Amino acid sequence: MLLTAAAQHLSSNATSSLKDFEMQLGFLGRDLLDEKAFNALLDNIGYRRSREGLWDSFLAEVNSITKNDGGEASSPSFITVSDMAKVYASDTYHLLDNGKDSGDALMEYVDKLFDKANTNMQGQDDTELDKDEFCSFFRELMGDNYSDEAADEAFDAIDVDGSGGITLAEFKEGVLKSNKNKTSGLPSTFNHNLLSPTLTSVDDFVKALERHTKNHRAVTHHLLENIACASFGKKQTADIILLFLSAYSKFNSGFVERVQTLIYRLDDAKEREVLRENVREEMGFYHEETLEECEMLGIPRESVENIPHHQLFRELVNTVEKKVQCSYIDFIPDDLSGVMVKAQKVCVAKGKIGLLASLYFGSELIVPSIYSALLVGLRLCLNLSREETRFLLLHVSMDGDHADNIRDIIVSHCKTAEDRIEFVKCTELIINARVSFYDKLGSLQNLQNVHDKASQLYDKQASKWSRDKPRCLSDFTGRPVVYDFISENINGATVLDVGCGEGFVSRKMTEMGAAKVVGIDVSPGMIDGAKSHEKKGRNEYFLVGDAAGLKQQLIEKSAECNLMLGANFDVGSFDLSVAVFLFNYMSITAMNQTFEDVHALLKPGGHFVFSVPHPFMASHSSAAFGFQGSGNESAYFSMRDKCMEGHIGTIDGEKLNVRMHFKTIEDYINAATSHGFEIVDFTEARVRAEDMVSNVPFFSSVNGYPLHMVIKLRKPMSTNDSASLGSMNTLDFLPKKLNWPRTVTNNVENSLVMWIPTDVNTELIAASLQVYEKGISVDDLDIGNDIDSPPSRKVRDLFSATNEFGISIRSRLLHETGAVIVKGLDMTALGGVEQLDKMTVCSKIAYFILSEHIGTVDATARGKLFDVKSANMDAMSKSNDNVLFSVSDTEAGWHTDGASKDRVYDVVSLLCISPASEGGKFRISNACDVYDELNRALPKFLLYELTRPIPRDILENGGGKGTDGAATALSRSAAILAMRIKYNSYPIYVVEGDRMRFRYMRHWIETGHEKTFWKVPTLLKIAMDVLDDHLDDACCFHQALERGEMIFANNAMLAHARDQFKNDPDAPPRHKVRAWIQVQKAAILHDENSFATADKNVSVNSNLAYR
């Protein structure tokens, strides 16, 4: 096929479809599509619908596009391959599939609206809309249908901080209403699935948090390793240990007081007594067997008996001070141990859970490992005796009972998800504080005299770094390797430049073909230079921010760089990231934080390329490049995190100030692999031959040196790490297809129905009635906290039968049928029709509890449960905007739940409280089976209509009963809504091998096109007609649910529909209750392998266009 100009800019998918269109013409013996050939195509695909006006519509549509393209249509009665190329390049098709980022387009449009509204804008300083400006803009946009009071209401709603002015960020949030997910504040390395008390046991949760803590840098920090090995030399290592102990005394002196505070706050007498026993030992009162154990360790009993631990600690410090002949106790900077002291205060303020977390996870669990490093170091450096180090020995060898006792108490305080979240947050707070302590201690021991922060260092010389062509040494030696590494990934990419400086590399990447570059740097001076550079590209955005808090910085400043928060951001916004000579300005801890954030921000399959000075250069210096303090070539591991000032030369004889926080090669490799990256390439950059030839005097001083390291990493398309899976969004997963054998479709009653076992009924009824008697609604219900259990039983044990039943339902939903009809809930025991209100409340509670044992109920959009009742509104009526079929009695055609690009639901479920008097039957069809049939029946260019991004109407979160408030009305004004809908584009089918996701609701596709002022393309209409007919043919269940029955359906694999219904005014109206349930991660957590590949990795959906 000879590609036309239009065809040359198509995506690979569109190009493939265009080739298929030409091939189909060849099969028909044509090179042009006329009405006869068109009808022959429809015959071949078995098209059953009326064809009246269909060809004329398609012909007019194509002719309109070709004329708008600047020329005449090829023929009033024929369509050529060239015409079809123009169709695929048109706006209706040219969405995400062709690389056009509708998120950027939407953000830019809102930028223009803000500028238009900001009538008093004076340069860059006026960054807010005052009330008059906003209200004037609102009235102009909304017309006469809205009053001044409505404009005031919208202003107050969008002015979130109540400052009296609307910032660009507030304006974008108020207008766009993006479905951004709340950040949990939990570490990504901890499996978030373990927070659910209905899905995981307390013991599983505690063991996981123990593993997380023991593998944390609070235990594995390089400073502890260097101390244990006396890597700094005996004298300096002893000095470091003394500094450690002296500063640590300000932190551990309050240990007994914290334990006593916890004792006071505990309700259980046995738990209080256990901790009192711990306090007695802390005060030196031991049982006889403990003293005998001390003697076996070589510790005389009289050296510990009746001597409080704080006194033993002080004696240890005195002993080390005498050996070292130095004292630091009166010279410790407040900020050295202050971060740990502050963290402890926060934990104490959190109450019992905060205290337990800090005492166990932050202390008793890990102190033996920390003290062991100090103990070994002291013996190597000072040859201290066992008696002299008895404080450390007691905690290294004899403190297990203390930890076990506190652990038992923790187990009794992990009942709810909120409790578990608090445990994780407090634990992370205290162990991160320990890491900060080690980092600060390392800075002191290195005797660093760093006067300027990195931002100040570069602010002072920002103008010297500004350049349009290679100038400094690394421009010739390091950056060319970076450019080479990114060359195959840069074209059309969205790039994150971390530590972008004055934008030199960002501008180069734009020149190389990047579609968008977001740069962030800690230096305001460098960012000012990047923003003001005359060659700054239109799609280059620069932000001031700390790379150690990268993700949060981008969230907070998303409006400044046109990043759409939501699925794009949560799953990964960037194709590529670079960090060119950034990590040499960061500690090992800060670098690891950046690695974690870059991994989260990259799309699956995205690349990260970074360059750093070679560790070799820490001990070698020259006129062109070097660092102060170089020369100790025998040092390596002990230099980790040592900060050295340095310089790098320019070809015009100037020296620029630089800095190196020393790291080993292992530090970089560990940071990459521990955060989930694959290593793709590695180069030790040096002076190249062509550079030597061009400027011998400049390059000769470093010729032959390994000057820099450049490493290319890749975020995998799949992962088998449970913690990574646990923190992922469900959009990250592409589930396996579920095809039905004929035994399912021919035996629905046996295949889909599961009866509630008697013991499950007993558990659900008892819990529901108990919650009802307490007056707790299902929206307020906390299963772990609000349902009483006997002291001898854990809450999860109350639902042992329900848990097993839930697992079996989940297994069917994911592995087998994809649909389960649950029967047998005893509605009479829950109140019966005679007590309809009670039965309604209690059955909803029982339904919620069962759903929570199947997976996790998703309450993000419309609450935990949504009442599906008629509000006497016609969802099909054009006069009713933002109205759900759930509140309408009209027929709901084949669909899946969820119309937002940014959010999907694994399972949709319904509980029937009262059936309709007439109609309302529920239908199910297998979309996987239908896809396989369509794949055989449709030519590729028609199947493409179902697999390309298609705009969908926007449904706001909430009740789904129309526009709610003036601010929502603004966001749904015609022009804004059209842009939002274009962003809300995704395919009906996403298929990758044996994995698939089906997302469909024809009505929202049709209204989405209408509201974007587009006609539904004829080919899409034909494809959806065929899809609907095949779904009709594949329907195997068409029944109304009876009172107490529930249905659970895999929302990625199955389509469902509902007939129109009528209520009898003399009977209870139709009342269903819906829950959306996320089950994929729950299945992985329980090792059910439903979403695992052959190598047990989870497939990660790589292209957001197909979500």
Side-chain angles (χ1 to χ4, degrees), residues 729-782:
N729 186 302
T730 193
L731 265 169
D732 292 347
F733 302 103
L734 194 60
K736 270 194 172 184
K737 291 171 68 177
L738 268 181
N739 292 104
W740 281 347
R742 290 189 181 275
T743 49
V744 172
T745 55
N746 293 340
N747 300 278
V748 172
E749 186 70 19
N750 294 330
S751 303
L752 303 186
V753 174
M754 293 181 70
W755 286 86
I756 297 180
T758 302
D759 50 356
V760 175
N761 243 327
T762 301
E763 291 177 354
L764 293 177
I765 290 167
S768 301
L769 292 175
Q770 182 190 132
V771 172
Y772 176 79
E773 293 300 327
K774 290 183 176 181
I776 300 172
S777 70
V778 70
D779 288 328
D780 297 326
L781 175 61
D782 186 327

Side-chain angles (χ1 to χ4, degrees), residues 332-617:
I332 298 297
D334 290 338
D335 67 338
L336 182 54
S337 59
V339 64
M340 288 202 296
V341 173
K342 182 180 179 180
Q344 283 288 9
K345 288 180 178 179
V346 172
C347 289
V348 172
K350 295 290 185 181
K352 290 183 288 187
I353 290 178
L355 282 163
L356 284 166
S358 66
L359 291 174
Y360 178 64
F361 296 106
S363 187
E364 297 285 1
L365 179 66
I366 59 177
V367 153
S369 297
I370 297 168
Y371 283 4
S372 180
L374 298 176
L375 180 62
V376 173
L378 284 173
R379 287 177 177 171
L380 284 173
C381 299
L382 301 179
N383 197 28
L384 296 187
S385 67
R386 287 179 174 270
E387 181 176 351
E388 288 173 316
T389 57
R390 60 194 184 279
F391 171 82
L392 297 175
L393 271 171
L394 285 171
H395 290 81
V396 170
S397 303
M398 300 176 60
D399 234 8
D401 289 344
H402 285 200
D404 291 342
N405 291 337
I406 297 179
R407 187 188 194 279
D408 290 341
I409 298 172
I410 284 175
V411 166
S412 68
H413 285 79
C414 295
K415 292 182 178 180
T416 71
E418 287 72 21
D419 291 339
R420 297 184 183 191
I421 290 171
E422 204 61 62
F423 267 117
V424 176
K425 285 184 175 180
C426 289
T427 298
E428 191 72 4
L429 176 67
I430 198 69
I431 58 182
N432 281 338
R434 283 188 177 275
V435 172
S436 180
F437 170 69
Y438 303 149
D439 288 343
K440 290 177 181 293
L441 189 66
S443 299
L444 286 178
Q445 68 91 11
N446 280 319
L447 303 177
Q448 294 173 12
N449 186 27
V450 181
H451 297 291
D452 292 335
K453 295 180 179 179
S455 59
Q456 297 168 325
L457 178 70
Y458 276 93
D459 281 345
K460 289 180 178 179
Q461 51 180 354
S463 61
K464 295 181 179 180
W465 279 99
S466 182
R467 59 206 188 278
D468 293 322
K469 57 185 179 180
R471 179 171 176 254
C472 68
L473 176 68
S474 54
D475 290 343
F476 299 93
T477 55
R479 287 177 181 82
V481 180
V482 173
Y483 303 148
D484 181 56
F485 276 8
I486 67 174
S487 59
E488 61 182 346
N489 313 111
I490 192 69
N491 192 43
T494 300
V495 187
L496 177 62
D497 187 354
V498 192
C500 64
E502 52 75 55
F504 181 68
V505 173
S506 293
R507 293 190 293 275
K508 177 66 176 179
M509 291 190 293
T510 298
E511 179 186 314
M512 293 175 68
K516 177 179 179 178
V517 180
V518 176
I520 186 168
D521 198 276
V522 73
S523 165
M526 296 293 261
I527 291 297
D528 286 344
K531 287 181 174 180
S532 60
H533 197 281
E534 62 180 6
K535 293 186 178 180
K536 174 186 172 296
R538 176 176 172 271
N539 291 322
E540 293 172 14
Y541 302 86
F542 296 103
L543 311 171
V544 176
D546 188 349
L550 183 61
K551 186 175 181 180
Q552 188 58 37
Q553 295 275 346
L554 290 178
I555 290 173
E556 293 174 359
K557 299 179 180 181
S558 60
E560 295 179 37
C561 54
N562 280 356
L563 280 177
M564 281 290 292
L565 300 181
N568 283 54
F569 192 84
D570 296 337
V571 177
S573 298
F574 296 95
D575 304 290
L576 174 68
S577 180
V578 298
V580 181
F581 299 109
L582 165 71
F583 295 134
N584 44 298
Y585 294 91
M586 304 177 77
S587 68
I588 295 172
T589 298
M591 178 181 73
N592 273 274
Q593 292 169 346
T594 302
F595 267 94
E596 179 178 337
D597 282 350
V598 169
H599 187 274
L601 291 164
L602 282 174
K603 298 175 184 177
H607 291 85
F608 180 33
V609 177
F610 69 92
S611 62
V612 290
H614 199 291
F616 175 88
M617 295 308 298

